[in-house]
Amino acid sequence: MKKMLMKNYKAHLSYIFLVIFLYSFYSYIQENIEMFNLIFSIQTHNIGIIFLISFINYAIKAKINVDIYSFSKIKLSVLESLRIISRSTAINLSGPANIGAGYKLHYLKKKYNLNIIENISINTAYAFYLNYFYIITIFLITLSSNQTELENSFYLNYFLITVIFALFIFLKIISSNKLEKIKIKSLKDTVEKLLLGFRYFKEDSANVRKLILSSFIYIVVSIIYLQAIMSSIGFNISLYSLLVLHCLSSVVNLIKITPGNIGFLEVSLIFLQGLHGITTNQIIIFSVVSRIVSFASLLLLFGVDKIANKN
């Protein structure tokens, strides 16, 4: 009963935040209506290029998913993985918090009998390493950048290097034999299950190399996608700024507040614009275009999936 009430509370809170963000966005549009004419000025061939890159991105995400679950000896096809990715993303966009992850857990448990804790552990390990890389990337770029004021830059870099060091210590601890000294068996078993994904990454170097390659291609294509949207609207954004924007978006999306993180992501990127140097107007317009493309891409993927399943 308490769990049900807690779930309902989180769902209601998520939608309350969404309404607040959407109202704020509506007010912003009213005050800056002329700015949104840039969206309607995007040329047709640019729209085609953006959608093409979007589909390629979904395909690469599907390949990453295949590589992740290969650690558990599960052989997903790219098409099956794409179906899981598109459906879980659609659920995330329509439901509270990160409910789409629940669909993925249920699907793989039902079809492949993949233990839920093992599933969570593998995805957590991947998210940890990927976002650890992103945080280091942000630190290195801001360290060599002159976009922020000297005092702010100092505190920011101090914070980032503290996070990097803390995460490095965490990695050293879980890689050592210290956890084996835990005397309480139930606690020891739970910790081992939760860290199973990290152990897989340490022991299976062949799959790790495949995953690194897929992730690198995903990052490159994502930067091209960002550049395609920005340039189609007429914004000239540097490669470094786009890389930081991509890294920040991934890190911020670890925290799910609203359906699809609508509003929360944009507010976070605006709050952290000292890191990437992209203006508020540019972030808002980019967000509108990218979310429209994301929704439309998902609808097209669902249509293709439905036609394919009929045959």
Side-chain angles (χ1 to χ4, degrees), residues 67 74 82 108 194 217 223 242 255 264:
D67 293 338
I74 293 175
L82 182 60
L108 293 167
L194 291 173
I217 295 172
I223 300 303
L242 292 174
I255 306 170
F264 179 72

Side-chain angles (χ1 to χ4, degrees), residues 29-191:
I29 290 178
Q30 285 188 315
E31 295 174 5
N32 301 272
I33 190 66
E34 71 287 345
M35 180 184 68
F36 287 86
N37 291 329
L38 291 171
I39 296 175
F40 300 101
S41 68
I42 300 176
Q43 296 181 4
T44 306
H45 71 276
N46 285 332
I47 295 174
I49 292 171
I50 292 169
F51 271 100
L52 176 61
I53 301 172
S54 175
F55 289 130
I56 292 172
N57 236 358
Y58 273 110
I60 298 169
K61 284 181 183 179
K63 178 60 171 65
I64 289 173
N65 221 34
V66 170
D67 293 338
I68 288 174
Y69 289 110
S70 63
F71 287 100
S72 294
K73 310 304 178 186
I74 293 175
K75 295 182 180 179
L76 291 173
S77 69
V78 174
L79 288 177
E80 183 181 15
S81 179
L82 182 60
R83 190 180 303 117
I84 296 171
I85 289 289
S86 59
R87 290 181 180 180
S88 60
T89 302
I91 294 169
N92 279 335
L93 289 172
S94 59
N98 194 24
I99 195 171
Y103 165 77
K104 189 191 293 187
L105 293 173
H106 173 74
Y107 178 90
L108 293 167
K109 173 67 176 175
K110 184 178 180 179
K111 185 167 183 179
Y112 295 99
N113 198 29
L114 178 62
N115 182 274
I116 290 176
I117 295 180
E118 181 179 352
N119 193 335
I120 293 172
S121 178
I122 296 170
N123 282 279
T124 299
Y126 175 69
F128 177 90
Y129 285 117
L130 181 65
N131 286 281
Y132 188 40
F133 169 76
Y134 284 155
I135 292 170
I136 292 174
T137 302
I138 294 168
F139 170 70
L140 293 175
I141 292 175
T142 55
L143 191 64
S144 59
S145 173
N146 295 320
Q147 289 184 29
T148 54
E149 296 178 2
L150 184 61
E151 185 178 356
N152 291 337
S153 179
F154 171 78
Y155 287 116
L156 176 63
N157 288 327
Y158 179 77
F159 170 75
L160 288 173
I161 201 168
T162 301
V163 172
I164 291 169
F165 182 73
L167 294 177
F168 177 77
I169 295 297
F170 171 76
L171 277 176
K172 294 295 290 183
I173 291 173
I174 64 174
S175 300
S176 66
N177 297 323
K178 292 182 179 179
L179 296 176
E180 294 180 2
K181 297 179 181 179
I182 299 175
K183 296 181 179 180
I184 304 173
K185 189 177 184 305
S186 58
L187 177 60
K188 183 180 178 180
D189 292 342
T190 302
V191 171

